[in-house]
Amino acid sequence: LRLKSARVERAVLEAKTVEQREARANIEHEKRDALRKLAMEQQIAMQAKFHQLALARRAEVLAGDLKRETLEQERLLAKRREMKALFEKQKAREAKYAEMMSAENDAGSALVLEVRRHRRDVDAAKKEDRDRRLVAKKQERKATREKVESYAASVGEMEKRQNAKQEQRKKELR
């Protein structure tokens, strides 16, 4: 009887501990599920937030691109206008020059003669200057050559004197 009651007691005790263990395991499992669910919700919230930020950034970049494109268009138009104005100016200048140089215009033929005379004078002055520079360069080269030769001669002279001194010292030492 005693053994039977002890066995029953042990069985009841074991059943209670198993129930308690299962209850604890269930509580742990529920906690883990709750934490997992919370983490999932936080991750979804973060993804939504990042998605919103990415959309805002894309919109910002698109606006910047549009602005840059309009500025580029304006710059191209301004450049085109400027080039057209320069072209018109050049055309006017060429027309004026052609009128001045025309054979019907007496002043034009005089102008042609004057331009030719001026060009000849400039060419002659250039040639003179070139010849003068060439002569100066030749003189400079000649002076440099003479300097080098005189330096080499003085170095040779010095070497001879030193060699003579060394020979004299050798004789004195002997």
Side-chain angles (χ1 to χ4, degrees), residues 126-136:
K126 279 184 184 175
K127 188 178 184 306
E128 242 176 70
D129 190 44
R130 197 178 316 117
D131 292 343
R132 196 169 20 84
R133 278 209 207 105
L134 190 65
V135 168

Side-chain angles (χ1 to χ4, degrees), residues 44-102:
I44 290 171
M46 273 179 41
Q47 285 176 347
K49 179 181 172 187
F50 284 140
H51 185 68
Q52 291 297 324
L53 289 173
L55 286 177
R57 179 69 183 136
R58 279 195 206 109
E60 192 179 308
V61 167
L62 193 63
D65 286 349
L66 288 173
K67 186 176 181 184
R68 198 175 306 109
E69 200 172 301
T70 55
L71 287 172
E72 182 68 18
Q73 290 293 331
E74 289 173 12
R75 190 185 65 77
L76 285 173
L77 285 173
K79 189 168 186 173
R80 209 171 280 141
R81 266 187 249 116
E82 186 181 334
M83 292 303 284
K84 189 174 181 181
L86 284 173
F87 180 74
E88 295 294 328
K89 209 173 182 182
Q90 180 65 23
K91 278 289 188 191
R93 205 179 295 129
E94 285 175 3
K96 184 177 176 187
Y97 186 74
E99 182 192 331
M100 284 171 63
M101 296 306 246
S102 68

Side-chain angles (χ1 to χ4, degrees), residues 8-22:
V8 170
E9 254 179 64
R10 205 177 306 124
V12 169
L13 192 65
E14 279 181 17
K16 277 185 184 175
T17 55
V18 166
E19 278 179 30
Q20 287 174 350
R21 214 179 285 137
E22 284 177 359

Side-chain angles (χ1 to χ4, degrees), residues 105-139:
N105 192 351
D106 289 334
S109 56
L111 183 65
V112 168
L113 292 176
E114 189 178 333
V115 165
R116 285 183 186 151
R117 186 176 53 76
H118 177 68
R119 282 188 184 150
R120 275 195 300 272
D121 292 346
V122 167
D123 288 345
K126 279 184 184 175
K127 188 178 184 306
E128 242 176 70
D129 190 44
R130 197 178 316 117
D131 292 343
R132 196 169 20 84
R133 278 209 207 105
L134 190 65
V135 168
K137 194 176 252 185
K138 280 183 181 176
Q139 286 177 348

